[in-house]
Amino acid sequence: VQLVESGGGVVQPGRSLRLSCAASGFTFSAYATHWVRQAPGKGLEWVASISSDEVNKYYADAVKGRFTISRDTSRKTMFLQMNSLRAEDTAVYYCARDPGFLERIFDYWGQGTLVTVSS
Amino acid sequence: DIQMTQFPSTLSASVGDRVTITCRASQNIIRWLAWYQQRPGKAPKLLISKASTLESGVPSRFSGSGSGTEFTLTISRLQPDDFATYYCQQYNSNVVTFGPGTKVDI
């Protein structure tokens, strides 16, 4: 199992960024996937989840209405579209696999991609 | 949302010690609790799910217990690789939440 995030970088407040998570080593369509972030020196914060059938999507209150989670099963890739970015969104963003349809735990993680929101 | 607290926030220990970390939920989460280990600069690693189910490949010196609102993670004999930060996470609802973490250092 391998998860590789990309798309992070420095972005100004109010702008947008799209993160990607490329999956390999497992049947992508059979597992839910998630985004979890960690601000510098802080703890873990769940961001969003998408079920294996892509029907169910859930968001943390802090990002609801600004972030959108999606998947492209044919490309085995998950995305996080982040709009109206704020300084408090600065964090390492991890993608993580769920052990099932939507158990909401994280059994494999990527290495993370850093998003810095600053003017 | 369900709030998670952990204590202690920092724990100083030595190799061979038995250490216990406590996690409390603001409401009954039955046994829907997981524990993760995070070493500096690395992604978290799932240790335990359903409060006490050890994940494949995790050493048996790790154990979890509890139900309802109070849970514990115990490391029976601390090894050098175990110096890390540990997080609990509830998954009783669609909005999952983590505890603030417990740093285990020397």
Side-chain angles (χ1 to χ4, degrees):
Chain A
V1 173
Q2 193 171 16
L3 300 165
V4 179
E5 303 94 337
S6 60
V10 180
V11 60
Q12 292 179 330
R15 303 298 290 266
S16 298
L17 206 60
R18 188 198 200 201
L19 304 183
S20 299
C21 171
S24 60
F26 64 100
T27 305
F28 185 71
S29 59
Y31 296 86
T33 47
H34 311 268
W35 290 98
V36 177
R37 68 185 181 183
Q38 187 169 35
K42 302 297 183 183
L44 301 170
E45 180 185 20
W46 167 75
V47 174
S49 300
I50 184 167
S51 59
S52 57
D53 63 2
E54 305 174 30
V55 171
N56 301 290
K57 301 177 184 180
Y58 302 96
Y59 299 92
D61 286 346
V63 307
K64 201 174 293 183
R66 299 188 298 124
F67 290 11
T68 302
I69 191 171
S70 62
R71 286 162 49 126
D72 183 337
T73 298
S74 64
R75 292 167 57 188
K76 299 182 182 179
T77 302
M78 176 176 66
F79 304 98
L80 186 68
Q81 178 67 42
M82 305 187 294
N83 298 332
S84 303
L85 281 161
R86 305 167 180 168
E88 54 265 36
D89 295 319
T90 294
V92 173
Y93 284 73
Y94 294 101
C95 68
R97 194 192 80 162
D98 190 292
F101 172 78
L102 194 62
E103 295 189 26
R104 298 182 297 275
I105 56 175
F106 318 113
D107 63 351
Y108 288 93
W109 298 65
Q111 83 289 351
T113 187
L114 176 62
V115 173
T116 303
V117 183
S118 173
S119 54
Chain B
D1 295 352
I2 300 172
Q3 307 303 315
M4 306 300 292
T5 56
Q6 281 182 245
F7 55 91
S9 56
T10 305
L11 190 160
S12 294
S14 301
V15 172
D17 283 355
R18 178 185 179 89
V19 301
T20 299
I21 299 168
T22 300
C23 176
R24 285 195 178 135
S26 60
Q27 62 189 71
N28 184 2
I29 58 169
I30 312 173
R31 290 176 59 82
W32 301 115
L33 185 100
W35 289 97
Y36 298 84
Q37 176 194 65
Q38 187 178 33
R39 298 189 178 103
K42 301 294 186 183
K45 174 186 176 182
L46 178 63
L47 299 176
I48 288 170
S49 62
K50 292 179 187 171
S52 61
T53 301
L54 209 62
E55 294 299 304
S56 175
V58 175
S60 58
R61 64 180 180 273
F62 290 90
S63 63
S65 65
S67 64
T69 61
E70 186 150 333
F71 302 85
T72 59
L73 172 70
T74 299
I75 310 171
S76 60
R77 293 182 63 175
L78 207 61
Q79 297 300 299
D81 272 354
D82 302 337
F83 291 96
T85 300
Y86 294 84
Y87 295 92
C88 61
Q89 176 230 326
Q90 68 78 20
Y91 53 110
N92 187 60
S93 70
N94 289 324
V95 176
V96 306
T97 45
F98 289 91
T102 295
K103 183 178 180 181
V104 177
D105 62 18
I106 300 173

